[in-house]
Amino acid sequence: MKRSFLTISVVLCWVCMSVSAQHINKEERQLALKHLKSTQSDLSRLAKGLSDAQLNYKPDKSAWSIAECIKHIALTEDNIWNYFVATAWASEPKADRRDEVVMTDEQLIAAIESRANKVKTNEAFEPSQLKVAPLEALELFQKSRKSHIAAFEEANNAMRHQYASLPFGIIDGYQAVLFLSAHTRRHIEQIKEVMASPGFPAQ
């Protein structure tokens, strides 16, 4: 009887440790929320008060304008969430797949935010696909981001053992949220590059 009780205790302990291991902690949740909220507010701050000339200015023919960057961000917000975040979260947690994750959180954020490597976007996410004014696109983004922040705040903690497949490899469900926010930051930096260019209109 004593041995049976000990065995059960060991099993229960192992189960608790396994569940705990797959959970994101308070610090991770706060970090992702901070990143989501800062990229949301930074985009709004940069776009606020810009004239049509400023929104539509292009440093060169191949570059995107600020208006196009905003439209692209708005187009991709729901798509990244639906295809990567929501898909990962809907999957069954599998601890034995952890070694498939190709990079750390820090490496993922750095890789996505970096403007060193230019990437041609999918045709479906070209700014021209969104037939609204730039500030309407910004409103669409804000509405979606607010919804996504709320969903993340309420989400279960098991996302470290849920996975999404990207072109560069496997990431976990928590990293999918970081990917979303880092993508926004990438194009915020692109907007800053446009604003810093010599020919950017004064008003």
Side-chain angles (χ1 to χ4, degrees):
M1 181 74 175
K2 203 170 182 180
R3 180 174 293 181
S4 297
F5 178 78
L6 180 61
T7 302
I8 292 170
S9 298
V10 170
V11 170
L12 286 174
C13 182
W14 179 85
V15 169
C16 289
M17 289 175 63
S18 297
V19 171
S20 174
Q22 70 187 11
H23 285 188
I24 62 169
N25 59 41
K26 181 180 179 180
E27 289 72 26
E28 288 172 320
R29 192 178 291 276
Q30 289 178 339
L31 184 150
L33 283 171
K34 181 179 179 180
H35 206 279
L36 286 166
K37 291 176 180 179
S38 67
T39 50
Q40 178 187 29
S41 60
D42 286 353
L43 180 61
S44 293
R45 178 179 53 80
L46 286 172
K48 184 178 181 180
L50 294 180
S51 66
D52 286 344
Q54 291 170 324
L55 284 167
N56 293 298
Y57 169 77
K58 292 187 175 188
D60 59 69
K61 289 182 179 180
S62 64
W64 279 356
S65 65
I66 294 173
E68 288 173 320
C69 289
I70 293 171
K71 288 185 177 185
H72 173 72
I73 291 169
L75 274 170
T76 53
E77 177 73 13
D78 283 340
N79 281 283
I80 291 174
W81 183 272
N82 293 335
Y83 285 109
F84 300 121
V85 182
T87 298
W89 289 4
S91 65
E92 180 184 352
K94 294 183 178 179
D96 59 355
R97 292 190 61 193
R98 275 303 304 170
D99 60 356
E100 295 180 35
V101 175
V102 295
M103 60 181 71
T104 66
D105 300 346
E106 294 76 15
Q107 289 170 335
L108 175 72
I109 291 172
I112 301 304
E113 290 185 353
S114 174
R115 297 278 301 143
N117 295 316
K118 302 298 188 289
V119 180
K120 175 68 175 172
T121 193
N122 187 290
E123 184 179 351
F125 305 136
E126 288 285 349
S128 59
Q129 299 296 322
L130 189 57
K131 310 297 184 182
V132 299
L135 296 185
E136 288 181 83
L138 181 60
E139 288 179 10
L140 290 174
F141 163 76
Q142 291 289 358
K143 183 178 179 181
S144 292
R145 177 57 62 88
K146 183 179 179 181
S147 173
H148 297 154
I149 288 172
F152 179 71
E153 288 178 320
E154 297 298 322
N156 70 67
N157 293 329
M159 56 190 79
R160 281 298 193 187
H161 286 172
Q162 295 169 305
Y163 309 93
S165 179
L166 274 71
F168 55 80
I170 299 296
I171 61 174
D172 67 43
Y174 174 79
Q175 291 179 324
V177 176
L178 298 179
F179 174 82
L180 174 74
S181 191
H183 174 264
T184 307
R185 177 64 66 194
R186 177 183 181 87
H187 292 290
I188 285 173
E189 294 306 313
Q190 187 176 8
I191 288 171
K192 289 179 180 178
E193 289 170 12
V194 174
M195 297 177 81
S197 60
F200 186 71
Q203 57 185 14

